[in-house]
Amino acid sequence: FPVMLLLLPSLKIKNTPKQSSIEDRQERFANIAGAFSVTESATAADLVADKNIIIIDDVITTGATVGDTKRSLLTAGARNVSAFAIAH
């Protein structure tokens, strides 16, 4: 099956404090909630529609960033979204 690598740094639509500066788990989730969107860009939405997507992140601590990114991709029509990290 063909694989396409897409870098979508523009997914983040809301400026937020760095997650690493926030100690409390619930505050991290609240900080990042709604910070990512694929549907803000029609081109990006077209690229992810009906695709299997893999998110690669450097570190996953609470999963808040990956969770909100996954929500955004699924909302834009991605078929499946998985995540991998270099560190946990």
Side-chain angles (χ1 to χ4, degrees), residues 1-8 11 38 43-57 66 68-84:
F1 58 92
V3 175
M4 182 187 315
L5 176 64
L6 300 174
L7 302 176
L8 298 172
L11 289 177
V38 176
T43 302
D46 288 342
L47 289 173
V48 303
D50 203 34
K51 302 287 190 304
N52 295 313
I53 307 291
I54 299 173
I55 300 168
I56 301 173
D57 203 351
V66 168
D68 200 59
T69 303
K70 179 178 180 174
R71 176 207 48 80
S72 176
L73 290 163
L74 291 171
T75 299
R79 181 183 312 143
N80 185 32
V81 179
S82 300
F84 295 93

Side-chain angles (χ1 to χ4, degrees), residues 2-76:
V3 175
M4 182 187 315
L5 176 64
L6 300 174
L7 302 176
L8 298 172
S10 60
L11 289 177
K12 191 164 185 187
I13 60 166
K14 180 172 101 174
N15 193 14
T16 60
K18 290 186 175 213
Q19 290 289 84
S20 59
S21 70
I22 302 170
E23 300 258 340
D24 183 73
R25 178 178 171 82
Q26 294 304 321
E27 287 180 26
R28 283 184 178 218
F29 278 93
N31 177 56
I32 211 73
F36 297 92
S37 177
V38 176
T39 54
E40 292 290 316
S41 164
T43 302
D46 288 342
L47 289 173
V48 303
D50 203 34
K51 302 287 190 304
N52 295 313
I53 307 291
I54 299 173
I55 300 168
I56 301 173
D57 203 351
D58 57 348
V59 177
I60 295 178
T61 305
T62 62
T65 302
V66 168
D68 200 59
T69 303
K70 179 178 180 174
R71 176 207 48 80
S72 176
L73 290 163
L74 291 171
T75 299

